[in-house]
Amino acid sequence: IKKLQESARRMDELVQQTHANLDRQETHSGPLSGLESQFESPKKRAVRKLARAKNVMQRADALKRKEARIEAQVKAELPGMDRAIDHAKKLHHKYAQLRREAEAAQQKADAAKVRQGKLQHRLARDQQRLSGIKRHLEAEKESYERIA
């Protein structure tokens, strides 16, 4: 829109220059000198430039109307978007909280697994010692029975 407005402003300046040139070079009866082109007169060129400037202005006005319409649509959608953003923020907060809780639970589970592994290792070692003590006790019992 700004480019078209700038273009329309330049076209308006060209039209004013053209009108000034026409006033200097042409009267109602025609050109003052032999400046007329074989295809069209300066007046026809000026009229063509005026029509082009009018078209540019019409396009700029149409774009302004379109911009206003789109702006109104966006403003109408803003409250809904704000609600959706608030809802998304709440969901994200809840997700982050659940993720932190899940990570903490996973860390606790990992620590429990490590403790369980250590306890199983101790249990296996204690069972080996108990088995060794039982064997030693059985051996002592057998030797006591042999003696008695």
Side-chain angles (χ1 to χ4, degrees):
I1 290 175
K2 288 180 182 179
K3 287 181 182 178
L4 286 175
Q5 288 173 341
E6 181 64 26
S7 176
R9 188 185 58 75
R10 280 185 274 148
M11 290 297 284
D12 193 35
E13 290 173 2
L14 282 174
V15 168
Q16 289 175 358
Q17 288 176 353
T18 304
H19 275 294
N21 288 341
L22 276 177
D23 290 342
R24 280 186 281 129
Q25 296 175 2
E26 197 171 90
T27 63
H28 293 295
S29 61
L32 294 174
S33 63
L35 297 173
E36 186 175 8
S37 166
Q38 62 177 338
F39 299 108
E40 60 182 23
S41 68
K43 186 173 187 175
K44 287 182 182 177
R45 284 193 298 272
V47 168
R48 191 180 72 240
K49 286 182 181 181
L50 281 172
R52 194 177 314 147
K54 182 180 176 184
N55 288 341
V56 168
M57 291 297 287
Q58 287 175 347
R59 278 191 295 177
D61 290 341
L63 287 174
K64 282 181 186 177
R65 287 190 301 274
K66 184 177 180 180
E67 179 185 20
R69 187 175 63 247
I70 291 172
E71 185 177 349
Q73 288 174 347
V74 168
K75 284 183 179 179
E77 293 174 5
L78 277 177
M81 288 181 180
D82 287 339
R83 285 191 300 272
I85 288 170
D86 290 342
H87 183 66
K89 284 180 180 178
K90 288 177 185 175
L91 286 176
H92 176 71
H93 179 69
K94 192 170 194 174
Y95 166 77
Q97 181 181 0
L98 291 173
R99 183 173 178 172
R100 284 190 300 269
E101 290 173 0
E103 288 173 352
Q106 183 65 42
Q107 287 176 349
K108 286 180 182 178
D110 291 344
K113 193 172 184 180
V114 168
R115 281 193 311 271
Q116 181 185 6
K118 287 179 180 180
L119 289 174
Q120 285 178 345
H121 179 71
R122 282 185 193 167
L123 178 64
R125 192 181 64 210
D126 289 346
Q127 285 177 343
Q128 285 177 349
R129 285 179 56 195
L130 179 62
S131 173
I133 291 172
K134 281 183 180 178
R135 276 194 313 262
H136 184 68
L137 188 60
E138 287 292 322
E140 290 294 323
K141 194 176 188 184
E142 285 177 13
S143 80
Y144 181 71
E145 285 178 359
R146 273 189 244 149
I147 295 176

